[in-house]
Amino acid sequence: MTRKIGVIGMGNVGATAAHYIVANGFADDLVLIDIREDKVKADALDFQDAMPNLPVHTNITVNDYSALADADVIISAVGNIKLQDNANDDRFAELPFTSKAAREVGQQIKASGFHGKMVVITNPVDVITSIYQQVTGLPKNHVVGTGTLLDSARMKRAVADELNIDSRSVLGYNLGEHGNSQFTAWSTVRVLGKPITEIAEKKGLDLDDLDHVARVGGHTVFHGKKYTNYGVATAAVRLANVILSGSETELPVSNYREEYGTYLSYPAIVGRDGVQEQLQLDLTEEELKKLQISADYIKTKFAESQE
């Protein structure tokens, strides 16, 4: 059985995701799509030039939506990174551009006959994931955003740096919007098996400061090089691989939660059928209030995108 992935949008993030897939042999067939014909053809040729020095071969197709009909996963990395360079570090600055692009791309995905799973990176990711689901008509659990899978990783990095440990020894979640209204749910965070609240008291950690470091991590990277790519591309490819392998992994991704009436990031079991089970955390009252605020903000922005 062949593994087929499509990457739509070959900017900094899409190209990084595609390279990660090619270099590691995560797909047998890879479809690359971008409105810049010369750019996507050059990327494809570059990947093919890399293959003689790789242990795996990947078949590459360029700018053919019909080739997505039997794809297992499509990764949407459509965007206009220049719009992120704004005074407020607001991911919604891209919304006028990406909402239009997502509708156009979504219509072509639907026309192709695609019936697999979508992984959405495009910002603002919670709203754009909603738009893709709306336009393609795919089941809600088959359209998933990377959401706070990356922000949770940033939180783990921030905590690990403070304690001088491996970031993989930190477990827990950032929840809500992949944006400024997200928050670290400290009640979920464990470090080396212990609640972080216990460690914070002993070590004198400022959890509010660590939450801030995690929340602005993307902006910190952006201001250094005017784009982000490695962290989010890795998160997207991990999510795609979880779907391809059917590994049924617990991940904080943007998924549609009926009780909030919107896509937002909350842990779910992801596998071959997309979001296969939604989990229920035992959050504090303060965390529940923050999650509701984040959900309301996403819904407001989604409504604006429909006007």
Side-chain angles (χ1 to χ4, degrees), residues 204-238:
L205 300 182
D206 186 332
L207 296 185
D208 289 337
D209 182 61
L210 288 172
D211 174 72
H212 175 75
V213 170
R215 189 168 59 254
V216 303
H219 307 312
T220 303
V221 173
F222 179 86
H223 290 306
K225 60 181 186 179
K226 295 304 179 183
Y227 61 91
T228 64
N229 58 327
Y230 300 124
V232 68
T234 302
V237 175
R238 182 190 182 195

Side-chain angles (χ1 to χ4, degrees), residues 25-167:
F26 291 146
D28 302 296
D29 296 291
L30 181 63
V31 182
L32 306 178
I33 293 177
D34 196 283
I35 58 174
R36 299 163 298 171
E37 190 83 17
D38 290 344
K39 169 65 164 64
V40 68
K41 285 182 176 179
D43 277 330
L45 182 60
D46 214 1
F47 292 150
Q48 289 166 342
D49 287 344
M51 284 181 203
N53 292 315
L54 292 174
V56 288
H57 176 81
T58 306
N59 301 307
I60 297 179
T61 303
V62 172
N63 275 0
D64 183 0
Y65 273 94
S66 67
L68 297 174
D70 60 347
D72 299 291
V73 178
I74 290 175
I75 297 173
S76 168
V78 175
N80 185 342
I81 194 61
K82 292 180 181 178
L83 297 175
Q84 291 286 356
D85 198 3
N86 63 84
N88 298 318
D89 289 331
D90 184 8
R91 290 182 176 89
F92 280 92
E94 277 196 87
L95 185 57
F97 175 87
T98 54
S99 59
K100 182 175 183 289
R103 288 189 175 88
E104 293 173 353
V105 169
Q107 288 167 359
Q108 294 187 80
I109 290 172
K110 183 176 182 179
S112 76
F114 173 72
H115 54 276
K117 315 302 180 294
M118 279 201 72
V119 170
V120 182
I121 303 173
T122 300
N123 274 323
V125 71
D126 305 288
V127 171
I128 297 301
T129 304
S130 300
I131 291 173
Y132 270 124
Q133 191 280 322
Q134 181 186 63
V135 174
T136 62
L138 292 167
K140 287 185 174 70
N141 66 306
H142 289 181
V143 184
V144 187
T146 49
T148 60
L149 183 56
L150 173 57
D151 303 297
S152 297
R154 287 172 173 151
M155 175 272 293
K156 294 172 185 178
R157 181 259 303 160
V159 171
D161 283 353
E162 194 72 15
L163 297 174
N164 195 30
I165 61 173
D166 188 328
S167 57

Side-chain angles (χ1 to χ4, degrees), residues 5-6 9 38 60 82 103 170 186 189 198 200 248 262:
I5 298 176
D38 290 344
I60 297 179
K82 292 180 181 178
R103 288 189 175 88
V170 183
W186 292 117
V189 179
E198 291 182 11
E248 299 191 3
T262 186

